[in-house]
Amino acid sequence: MVDSAELFPDVWKKVCKWMDSKGLGTYYTFAVACDGPWDMNLFLNVQCHLSQVPFPNFCRKWVNICKAMSNFYHLPRMSLKNMLTAHELTFEGRPHRGISDARNIARIAVILMEDGCILDCNDSFDTNFSPNAH
């Protein structure tokens, strides 16, 4: 399946075109939500570098759902699976598969907002990021 996937630069162009068609970043403001610093600081950063695609400005700040949940409920930071368990939910889909992770992060985000949490960008791109420090 991976071998037959489109190349990152082609997919990225489609993502940007889709965002433009929805007015994201022009008509509407938005923020990316992740469950930690790795998606932006490590995975997207490395992929952009390898593909010679500029790192997008809108990914330099994001909503770290793990951090938001920890601060809002005064809990220790936890994995995506444990954040779901804390809300008596189970992981839907396949762990570490982009679409499954995104949907489960969104489920937590909805619960946080329903409980009164204001989700603001609370994490940012770190050029000195080390995955071993988190």
Coordinates of all heavy atoms in Angstrom, one line a residue, residues 1 9 18 26 43 61 63 67 82 89 100 117 120 122:
M1 N 0.8 -1.2 0.0 CA 0.0 0.0 0.0 C 0.9 1.3 0.0 O 0.6 2.2 -0.7 CB -0.9 0.0 1.2 CG -1.9 1.1 1.2 SD -3.2 0.8 2.4 CE -4.0 2.3 2.5
P9 N 5.2 15.5 -2.1 CA 4.9 16.8 -2.7 C 3.6 16.9 -3.4 O 2.9 17.9 -3.4 CB 6.1 17.0 -3.7 CG 7.2 16.1 -3.1 CD 6.5 15.0 -2.5
W18 N -7.0 21.9 -1.2 CA -8.3 21.7 -0.4 C -8.4 22.7 0.6 O -9.6 23.2 0.8 CB -8.2 20.3 0.2 CG -9.4 20.0 1.1 CD1 -10.6 19.5 0.7 CD2 -9.4 20.2 2.5 NE1 -11.4 19.4 1.7 CE2 -10.7 19.8 2.9 CE3 -8.6 20.6 3.4 CZ2 -11.2 19.8 4.2 CZ3 -9.0 20.7 4.8 CH2 -10.3 20.3 5.1
T26 N -7.4 31.9 5.0 CA -7.8 33.2 4.3 C -9.1 33.7 4.9 O -9.1 34.8 5.5 CB -7.9 33.0 2.7 OG1 -8.8 31.9 2.5 CG2 -6.6 32.6 2.1
F43 N 8.2 14.5 12.4 CA 7.7 13.8 11.2 C 7.5 14.8 10.0 O 8.0 14.6 8.9 CB 6.4 13.0 11.5 CG 6.6 12.0 12.6 CD1 5.7 12.0 13.6 CD2 7.7 11.2 12.6 CE1 5.8 11.0 14.6 CE2 7.9 10.3 13.7 CZ 6.9 10.2 14.7
K61 N 2.9 26.5 14.8 CA 2.2 26.5 16.1 C 1.0 25.6 16.0 O 0.4 25.5 14.9 CB 1.7 27.9 16.5 CG 2.8 28.9 16.7 CD 2.2 30.3 17.2 CE 3.3 31.3 17.4 NZ 2.8 32.6 17.8
V63 N -2.2 23.1 18.4 CA -2.8 22.7 19.6 C -2.3 21.3 20.0 O -2.5 20.4 19.3 CB -4.4 22.7 19.5 CG1 -5.0 22.2 20.8 CG2 -4.9 24.0 19.0
K67 N -1.2 18.3 26.0 CA -0.9 19.4 26.9 C -2.1 20.1 27.4 O -2.3 20.4 28.6 CB 0.0 20.4 26.2 CG 1.0 21.2 27.1 CD 1.8 22.2 26.2 CE 3.1 21.7 25.8 NZ 3.9 22.8 25.3
N82 N -4.5 6.5 26.4 CA -4.8 6.8 27.8 C -5.7 8.0 28.0 O -6.6 8.1 28.8 CB -3.6 7.0 28.7 CG -2.9 5.6 28.9 OD1 -3.4 4.6 28.7 ND2 -1.6 5.7 29.3
L89 N -13.5 6.0 26.6 CA -13.5 5.8 25.2 C -12.4 4.8 24.8 O -11.5 4.6 25.5 CB -13.3 7.0 24.4 CG -14.4 8.2 24.6 CD1 -13.9 9.4 23.9 CD2 -15.7 7.7 24.1
S100 N -6.7 7.5 11.6 CA -7.2 7.0 12.9 C -6.8 7.9 14.0 O -7.6 8.3 14.9 CB -6.8 5.6 13.1 OG -7.2 4.7 12.1
C117 N -13.0 23.8 27.9 CA -11.6 24.1 27.6 C -11.6 24.9 26.3 O -12.2 24.6 25.3 CB -10.9 22.8 27.4 SG -9.1 23.0 27.0
D120 N -6.4 26.7 22.4 CA -5.5 27.6 21.7 C -4.2 26.9 21.4 O -3.8 25.9 22.0 CB -5.2 28.8 22.6 CG -6.3 29.8 22.8 OD1 -7.1 30.0 21.9 OD2 -6.5 30.3 24.0
N122 N -0.8 25.9 21.8 CA 0.0 25.8 23.1 C 1.3 25.1 22.9 O 2.0 24.7 23.8 CB -0.8 25.1 24.1 CG -1.2 23.7 23.7 OD1 -0.9 23.2 22.6 ND2 -2.0 23.0 24.6

